[in-house]
Amino acid sequence: MTFERDAKTLELPWPFTGREEETELVRRSVAGGRHGIVVTGPAGRGKTRLVTEAVRGTDCARVAGTPETRGLPFAAFAHLVPETASLHRAVHLLSGVRLLLVDDAHLLDDASAALVHQLAVHGRTRLLVVATDGARSPGAISRLWTGELLPRLALEPLPREETAQLLAAGVGGLEALTVNRLYRMCRGDLRLLRELVDAVREQGLLNQVPDSTEWEWRGPVPVTATVRERTAHLLDRTGPGERETLDRLAFGEPLPVDAGTLDLDALERLEADGLVHVDEQGTARLAHPLHAPVLRAAAGRVKTLRLARTPADCAAALETETAALARAIGETDVRAVSAPVGEWLLDEGVGVTARHAAVRARFARLRGELRGAAAWAREGLWAAADDPACLLELALAAAQSGHPELAAPPAGPGVDRSFEPSTGSDDDGPAVVPTGSTASESVESRGRSCDSRFAGPLPPPVAVVDPSTPQLTATATGSSGAADSREVVAGGSAVTWWAAARGDLDAALGTVGEDPYDAVRLGAPERAVGRLTGVFAEHAEALAHDDGPALDRAAQALEERGFLLFAAEAYAQAATSHRDPGAARTSRTRAVALARRCQGARTPALYGLVLGELTARQRQIVTLAAAGLSNRQIAEKLTLSIRTVGNHLYSAYARLGASDRDALPCLVELPEAQPA
């Protein structure tokens, strides 16, 4: 795969993806007896593309406002009404138009705005009006929704999973952390997203991930025309101390407010204007991820030398982030945690320690971000090729995503991204004590008082993963030569999920060891009785009693704590436990919605979203058949007769609406699984 651009070829827009609910809402608003809708949102959010797709194939008249014609009466309607027409005459002429799309309505001249308003009052013409938030609109336009003449759809930023879907459709081949970076940078600005991607490609900033078909972006942010337009207000700040404060943050964020390095008066003004954010810990950073690259690009060489930081300068802050993430894991609450230092080091192409990468990978995996977890684990393996925790996280993410190719660790020549701060060691543990904590407040001690499901430090197995023959080989790490018991637990967990990925649930359940929640996720809660606490115990008990409402409550609690994949699995299990068909459909819908946010996760509980109406034995046989096993191989594996296997498959075909075995791979996978 190559990223090349033919200057002679006019590039077509990216395929329209996502926004299904918004598109349907717009279509319903201009159909039947409805009068229309107003769609608003910041510049670049995709408003025009959305309404264009919504009315595709319909008979629709179009007008648009422009800055140059705001002083000309009825300028936007020049192709629809005569130059000398009065407002009354214009309303009469357009009353026969069935659907009118008004784009950039905030730029309409006053006469055109009044005409749109009168058409809404009369109600004979359906109106689809698009306006940009933050721009000064004519009063006649803003009164469309404030006066309740038309409903208003305020377009939210495209969610991360739909941004990933859009990038996959428009570009393809970008690894998860690059997708995350683009999502953070653009914050829903789709025009900026496309321009950044084009600039990154044209400037040769994409590097192919070794032994992969994916591409990654590390290094500088191209300062494109749209980037300059979106950040022009930054360079205009000339108040006392303001520019110096912005520059210090651009080169060193996040910075503590009480460290004496920032002008507090200037910081207060910048915060009031929304250019700087100060968090609850008293740490300041720029309000938008694009601000720092633009300010650094505008700085002179002397200022850059004076303010630029090195990886060694980030060691303490990076360890603080590592501790914060590990603490969240120990407290069984993996809702989003701000960790900009690790992201900055990664984005700059410097790399991070294996310890930080392993914690980030585990945090991402518990959130259901499986491709992101695999990418962080690979980053850690750049720093330490045999790091056990990173190898384990890579194996688990690959097995639970159903993509064994993700388990391949980085190999071969590539960019050296090893992070070597002047303090701290990945082998002996961090030498830097996080700010505001003491040595006694280690991650291990924090974990002991928390839920036993995730208490304690990261598992430390030394393991090598072979994706072609999924298994882990644990080796001793202690000075005595005896293997740490936690190595067996972690290794067993990876073996369990590799077996599950192959569709062999009997083997998977046979390898469940000291991690009882694995058994719950695999549908055998009886193996976890009395061994879990908190919401994980509630999940196990609800599943053991086949209690659909209780499973829904457990799923909601898991979702609130950030465990999106676990919540999706619990909702999927609830869908098969409910006696009420309506409740079952609701649980299934929630399961699918959450699973789509988990970057293509494919675990046995999620297979049930499609195979939920089958018996347990039928699901087992169908899963093996979809993996390519013949009836004879399935019979030998499950100790059944070939006739019994055939009968189960025949019954399953009827229930699933499948014609033959070739249709099964599409049915056992999660519908419309999304790429990272």
Side-chain angles (χ1 to χ4, degrees):
M1 180 178 184
T2 60
F3 285 105
E4 297 179 355
R5 183 176 182 178
D6 183 355
K8 298 179 181 179
T9 302
L10 179 65
E11 289 192 52
L12 296 175
W14 286 358
F16 181 75
T17 58
R19 302 284 196 201
E20 288 89 356
E21 292 182 5
E22 294 92 336
T23 304
E24 184 58 30
L25 174 61
V26 173
R27 285 174 177 159
R28 291 199 307 268
S29 298
V30 295
R34 307 295 178 85
H35 297 301
I37 192 171
V38 179
V39 179
T40 65
R45 188 152 290 180
K47 303 181 296 297
T48 299
R49 186 69 186 277
L50 169 67
V51 298
T52 299
E53 294 296 330
V55 301
R56 186 177 297 279
T58 64
D59 184 13
C60 176
R62 297 170 181 258
V63 299
T66 60
E68 297 79 11
T69 59
R70 295 191 73 166
L72 302 177
F74 297 128
F77 290 87
H79 60 300
L80 296 176
V81 301
E83 182 179 356
T84 58
S86 64
L87 178 60
H88 176 77
R89 176 63 174 162
V91 171
H92 177 74
L93 289 171
L94 293 176
S95 295
V97 175
R98 184 175 182 182
L99 175 60
L100 177 65
L101 193 163
V102 184
D103 200 3
D104 286 333
H106 58 287
L107 297 177
L108 289 177
D109 59 90
D110 289 340
S112 294
L115 174 56
V116 173
H117 189 274
Q118 287 301 309
L119 290 171
V121 170
H122 285 265
R124 289 191 288 269
T125 299
R126 297 185 189 121
L127 294 171
L128 184 47
V129 181
V130 179
T132 297
D133 286 341
R136 185 177 179 180
S137 297
I141 294 299
S142 59
R143 283 194 295 273
L144 290 175
W145 62 87
T146 59
E148 299 184 355
L149 287 170
L150 294 176
R152 178 189 181 193
L153 168 61
L155 205 57
E156 297 293 328
L158 198 68
R160 190 262 176 217
E161 58 272 16
E162 292 190 6
T163 301
Q165 183 183 358
L166 175 63
L167 286 167
V171 185
L174 298 180
E175 54 95 45
L177 299 185
T178 296
V179 172
N180 289 347
R181 185 182 187 187
L182 287 165
Y183 177 69
R184 291 196 314 271
M185 285 283 175
C186 298
R187 291 189 173 182
D189 189 332
L190 302 183
R191 186 186 308 163
L192 175 61
L193 178 69
R194 179 167 184 177
E195 187 172 299
L196 268 183
V197 169
D198 287 345
V200 165
R201 292 163 61 178
E202 291 170 355
Q203 295 182 24
L205 299 177
L206 284 172
N207 294 305
Q208 189 165 12
V209 179
D211 300 323
S212 170
T213 59
E214 294 184 328
W215 295 73
E216 64 180 13
W217 169 35
R218 306 288 186 266
V221 176
V223 183
T224 65
T226 301
V227 170
R228 293 185 188 279
E229 175 190 335
R230 300 285 191 271
T231 58
H233 57 291
L234 275 180
L235 305 181
D236 293 336
R237 300 298 298 220
T238 57
E242 289 182 346
R243 186 60 184 273
E244 176 68 14
T245 300
L246 289 171
D247 285 338
R248 283 188 178 277
L249 289 171
F251 282 96
E253 66 176 345
L255 291 175
V257 172
D258 59 0
T261 59
L262 298 173
D263 185 323
L264 295 184
D265 290 336
L267 189 65
E268 186 175 339
R269 292 192 298 273
L270 293 170
E271 183 187 22
D273 290 341
L275 296 178
V276 169
H277 173 71
V278 180
D279 61 24
E280 296 178 355
Q281 288 72 43
T283 301
R285 60 174 54 90
L286 296 169
H288 197 288
L290 276 180
H291 291 172
V294 170
L295 289 166
R296 291 200 300 266
R301 187 168 298 177
V302 173
K303 180 177 286 188
T304 299
L305 291 173
R306 175 169 64 90
L307 297 178
R309 59 180 173 176
T310 66
D313 297 330
C314 300
L318 184 67
E319 183 54 34
T320 299
E321 287 187 357
T322 307
L325 291 163
R327 182 166 59 250
I329 293 171
E331 293 171 350
T332 63
D333 188 340
V334 293
R335 284 171 287 191
V337 172
S338 178
V341 175
E343 292 168 351
W344 179 82
L345 289 166
L346 192 73
D347 293 346
E348 293 296 312
V350 176
V352 295
T353 62
R355 170 179 163 75
H356 181 81
V359 176
R360 291 295 291 256
R362 188 180 188 192
F363 190 83
R365 176 173 58 82
L366 293 175
R367 286 174 54 82
E369 299 165 357
L370 299 182
R371 286 186 175 272
W376 275 110
R378 286 195 299 267
E379 287 294 328
L381 295 173
W382 280 104
D386 58 352
D387 182 79
C390 288
L391 285 168
L392 173 64
E393 292 302 328
L394 190 61
L396 290 173
Q400 293 179 26
S401 70
H403 292 284
E405 71 276 5
L406 293 178
V415 181
D416 183 8
R417 294 200 296 268
S418 58
F419 176 80
E420 298 180 356
S422 58
T423 57
S425 167
D426 281 334
D427 297 326
D428 301 324
V432 180
V433 177
T435 304
S437 63
T438 64
S440 63
E441 295 177 40
S442 65
V443 175
E444 290 85 349
S445 64
R446 290 190 188 99
R448 293 189 187 107
S449 62
C450 303
D451 193 306
S452 62
R453 169 64 182 91
F454 296 115
L458 283 169
V462 175
V464 177
V465 182
D466 180 359
S468 62
T469 56
Q471 59 183 0
L472 292 178
T473 304
T475 61
T477 58
S479 57
S480 64
D484 191 312
S485 63
R486 288 171 297 185
E487 296 176 17
V488 178
V489 174
S493 185
V495 171
T496 296
W497 287 103
W498 277 119
R502 296 195 303 271
D504 193 344
L505 291 185
D506 289 340
L509 289 170
T511 60
V512 171
E514 295 303 316
D515 193 350
Y517 195 59
D518 280 350
V520 179
R521 297 176 63 194
L522 293 171
E526 66 279 359
R527 303 193 180 199
V529 173
R531 301 173 64 191
L532 293 169
T533 61
V535 66
F536 306 104
E538 295 170 11
H539 183 184
E541 184 176 356
L543 185 61
H545 290 88
D546 199 23
D547 188 336
L551 281 167
D552 281 339
R553 291 192 294 272
Q556 183 178 359
L558 287 165
E559 181 182 359
E560 289 172 352
R561 287 175 170 263
F563 297 101
L564 300 189
L565 177 54
F566 300 165
E569 292 172 333
Y571 275 128
Q573 291 165 341
T576 62
S577 298
H578 278 298
R579 291 0 177 216
D580 177 16
R585 284 193 297 270
T586 299
S587 296
R588 185 184 187 282
T589 298
R590 291 173 177 169
V592 171
L594 286 174
R596 286 176 176 170
R597 297 169 61 185
C598 295
Q599 302 179 359
R602 294 179 179 88
T603 61
L606 298 184
Y607 295 162
L609 294 176
V610 175
L611 307 181
E613 296 187 0
L614 304 184
T615 66
R617 178 63 81 184
Q618 286 173 340
R619 287 198 298 271
Q620 189 176 35
I621 291 174
V622 165
T623 300
L624 293 172
L629 274 68
S630 67
N631 286 12
R632 181 179 295 278
Q633 290 171 320
I634 296 173
E636 293 173 352
K637 192 174 190 64
L638 301 181
T639 318
L640 299 172
S641 70
I642 297 177
R643 175 186 285 276
T644 299
V645 171
N647 289 339
H648 277 305
L649 280 175
Y650 181 81
S651 298
Y653 292 159
R655 293 194 182 191
L656 296 172
S659 57
D660 54 27
R661 183 185 298 258
D662 292 338
L664 293 180
C666 297
L667 292 171
V668 301
E669 293 187 355
L670 181 67
E672 302 179 37
Q674 303 300 330

